[in-house]
Amino acid sequence: MCLMELPLPNLFSEIALGGVMLPNRIAVAPMCQYSADDGSATDWHLQHLMQLAFSGAGLVTVEATAVERPGRITHGCLGLYTDSNERALKRVMDAARAVATPGIKFAIQLAHAGRKASQRVPWEGGGSLPEDQEPWPTVGPSALAHGPGWTAARALTLAEIERIRDSFVQAAIRSARIGFEVIELHFAHGYLLHQFQSPLSNQREDRYGGDADGRERLAVEILTAIRAALPESVAVGARISGSDWAEGGLDETDAARLAEKLGHEGAAFVCVTTGGLVSHQKINAGPGFQVPHASHVKRMAHVPTRAVGMIVDPLVANALVESGEADMVALARAFLDNPRWVWHAAEKLGVSVARPPQYARAAPEVWSGAKLARPAAG
């Protein structure tokens, strides 16, 4: 008797981002580690990314990586603006690929912090660097501070905007040389390209301000220029904001409009997140709280869309993909807490996934203690 093969749960089915095929629809979201040396990756990044490389996720995204030195969030943020930065990150990524799960792809998120640059690292309290910690001048679309207690930014000139656009392109070229299959542009979380999009942070009256087309212009130009500079074998997408969580700010309609523009210029995907633009935001956070924003963008813009934000339960993650609310899901802190999240999700959904043979003896079909070691079902 011939047994029929059961279909894979949607979460573990393949998906194409442009010309890049991912083995499943789970992404490790970019997570700042604040552990670089003048933008260069260190041994901390080596262990961090090597571990995530065999997590089983279809896509692992390297943290927000500044395209120029003043664009770093903190002194410890990763960057890709010098040859030394490129060599250091290539060393890390070569090691990560050497231990990676078969089929896994790697992405890098390119960013510029704008007026949210020159910060203390989170475990030192965040906020603008004090004078005794070598702060640097911050820039933005307009001369506005992120909030009370923050240093006001200087408004960028047109020549500086052009330089930053070129810096994104050069960082993308470096990324392709390192071997990244996917590039994610950071247009959210209150950083520079988000600052340009929102009327709460952009008061310009030139071609990069005013109406929505003007405020979105730089983001579109950057994606278009990068897409033109790279081969089709590299997928280019963006993380965009579905809400500023503040009156007069961006909402999911704005996100869908931007996603549609980016799609027309060759974006392979968008990841929809929210918040981070202003200090007076009022976020209604909870499990899956950003999913409705992603779902709206997916319906309206017809671009492969990823949902992110407190998506922890594998059954919920699978249901989001199965229902069509999102094409993929991304997890961040869940992977810091449990780098084996994908392995355990596969067990819960009845799927077999590749894991390093060195760790195979901990699999539930081999080790009777596996059930005792697993956290209670959520």
Side-chain angles (χ1 to χ4, degrees):
M1 182 176 65
C2 181
L3 296 176
M4 293 183 62
E5 187 174 334
L6 294 175
L8 281 172
N10 293 67
L11 189 63
F12 284 91
S13 62
E14 292 182 330
I15 184 172
L17 300 182
V20 178
M21 183 64 70
L22 306 182
N24 60 54
R25 294 165 185 255
I26 304 164
V28 176
M31 294 175 279
C32 290
Q33 298 297 293
Y34 309 104
S35 300
D37 179 7
D38 191 10
S40 291
T42 64
D43 284 348
W44 179 264
H45 298 91
L46 185 71
Q47 69 81 26
H48 175 64
L49 290 164
M50 287 182 73
Q51 179 140 206
L52 293 174
F54 56 77
S55 66
L59 183 69
V60 172
T61 311
V62 172
E63 67 193 79
T65 302
V67 300
E68 62 173 15
R69 184 176 279 106
R72 294 173 299 162
I73 306 168
T74 73
H75 283 298
C77 282
L78 205 61
L80 198 48
Y81 44 79
T82 67
D83 291 345
S84 295
N85 296 159
E86 185 176 340
R87 285 193 298 271
L89 189 53
K90 187 177 188 305
R91 164 187 171 252
V92 168
M93 296 314 301
D94 286 350
R97 282 193 175 82
V99 300
T101 304
I104 193 174
K105 302 300 190 297
F106 292 94
I108 185 170
Q109 186 186 69
L110 300 181
H112 191 297
R115 69 183 190 180
K116 290 180 71 175
S118 192
Q119 288 189 49
R120 291 175 294 186
V121 297
W123 52 83
E124 293 178 356
S128 293
L129 283 168
E131 288 301 319
D132 63 350
Q133 293 187 23
E134 300 182 10
W136 61 92
T138 61
V139 296
S142 302
L144 300 170
H146 174 67
W150 287 74
T151 303
R154 179 181 57 77
L156 288 160
T157 66
L158 290 175
E160 289 171 327
I161 290 172
E162 183 176 347
R163 187 203 72 231
I164 288 173
R165 184 181 63 222
D166 291 345
S167 295
F168 269 92
V169 176
Q170 290 306 309
I173 292 170
R174 288 183 185 276
S175 300
R177 283 203 297 256
I178 291 170
F180 287 103
E181 296 94 345
V182 179
I183 292 175
E184 177 178 302
L185 304 173
H186 202 352
F187 294 165
H189 290 172
Y191 298 118
L192 184 63
L193 276 300
H194 185 184
Q195 294 162 28
F196 267 91
Q197 295 164 46
S198 178
L200 297 179
S201 47
N202 186 344
Q203 298 178 357
R204 301 180 74 94
E205 296 179 355
D206 59 15
R207 66 193 304 266
Y208 292 105
D211 63 10
D213 286 336
R215 288 183 279 107
E216 294 165 353
R217 190 183 309 279
L218 182 55
V220 175
E221 285 183 352
I222 287 173
L223 184 134
T224 303
I226 289 175
R227 183 64 281 166
L230 298 183
E232 290 297 323
S233 58
V234 179
V236 181
R239 174 167 273 193
I240 64 174
S241 184
S243 177
D244 286 343
W245 298 101
E247 186 176 355
L250 300 177
D251 61 19
E252 60 190 20
T253 301
D254 299 298
R257 183 184 59 248
L258 177 62
E260 187 171 23
K261 287 182 180 180
L262 297 175
H264 286 159
E265 296 301 323
F269 68 96
V270 291
C271 179
V272 183
T273 183
T274 64
L277 182 78
V278 290
S279 62
H280 62 274
Q281 65 186 8
K282 296 181 179 179
I283 298 179
N284 184 22
F289 72 108
Q290 296 176 151
V291 170
H293 304 285
S295 181
H296 180 83
V297 170
K298 176 175 163 55
R299 289 196 311 271
M300 301 304 294
H302 309 292
V303 178
T305 302
R306 196 167 72 204
V308 64
M310 296 180 72
I311 301 169
V312 179
D313 189 308
L315 298 179
V316 171
N318 186 62
L320 291 177
V321 177
E322 192 172 68
S323 67
E325 291 182 84
D327 297 295
M328 293 183 68
V329 298
L331 294 82
R333 278 171 275 204
F335 274 106
L336 296 183
D337 176 62
N338 179 11
R340 314 291 183 250
W341 188 92
V342 177
W343 302 1
H344 300 162
E347 293 168 16
K348 201 166 188 178
L349 293 167
V351 180
S352 295
V353 294
R355 62 178 76 193
Q358 295 92 330
Y359 288 4
R361 62 182 179 272
E365 60 270 22
V366 176
W367 180 45
S368 59
K371 290 183 180 179
L372 299 175
R374 299 294 184 266

